Amino acid sequence: MEIEGKVKLIGETQTFGSNGFRKRELVVTTDEQYPQHIMVEFVQDKCDLLNSYGVGQDVKVSINLRGREWANPQGEVKYFNSIQGWRIEGASKAAPAGGMPPVAPMEAFEPADDLNEEDHDDLPF
């Protein structure tokens, strides 16, 4: 899966536990009618992928959805979801609006000179 948008925030790398687990958070704001601020976690060696990106930059982030189950000491089970990034690249906004290809200028179209007003077309509508 992928998320495209503008970088809103890049967090510092955090280290947890005695085994040195590393995590870094990225917030991407989507470009749609109702923009969403999506937090994506990069873990371990993937934290370094964010070093060459900055706030305001357009990016495309490849993600995986992760879920886990946890039982508290009272035996209550809870579920947690996370979004983990595994690749990030700069996104270009070069596509025209609406995804339509560019149209040739009017000069490229020749007028029809041999149009006969008396000819009736035989279209059924």
Side-chain angles (χ1 to χ4, degrees):
M1 298 169 68
E2 293 178 339
I3 297 172
E4 288 191 50
K6 192 174 293 292
V7 174
K8 180 175 181 146
L9 176 127
I10 299 176
E12 295 296 320
T13 302
Q14 301 171 314
T15 305
F16 301 93
S18 59
N19 62 356
F21 177 81
R22 297 185 327 142
K23 178 175 98 167
R24 193 169 184 189
E25 296 175 346
L26 167 76
V27 177
V28 175
T29 302
T30 61
D31 183 21
E32 52 194 344
Q33 183 178 359
Y34 301 105
Q36 302 295 307
H37 306 286
I38 309 293
M39 197 273 294
V40 181
E41 297 177 337
F42 285 77
V43 298
Q44 299 298 73
D45 61 328
K46 303 297 183 193
C47 293
D48 298 332
L49 295 176
L50 300 177
N51 291 343
S52 58
Y53 294 91
V55 173
Q57 192 169 359
D58 291 318
V59 294
K60 179 167 58 171
V61 182
S62 299
I63 62 165
N64 290 325
L65 296 177
R66 298 284 185 221
R68 64 184 181 96
E69 179 181 270
W70 175 76
N72 67 14
Q74 293 77 27
E76 297 172 318
V77 177
K78 300 200 182 243
Y79 297 92
F80 298 92
N81 297 320
S82 63
I83 301 171
Q84 275 191 1
W86 54 274
R87 180 173 62 198
I88 183 171
E89 56 190 84
S92 65
K93 295 286 185 179
M100 297 294 292
V103 177
M106 286 304 294
E107 296 82 38
F109 298 97
E110 295 182 23
D113 293 331
D114 60 349
L115 184 64
N116 187 348
E117 295 282 335
E118 295 176 14
D119 285 344
H120 298 284
D121 63 43
D122 58 354
L123 294 176
F125 50 88

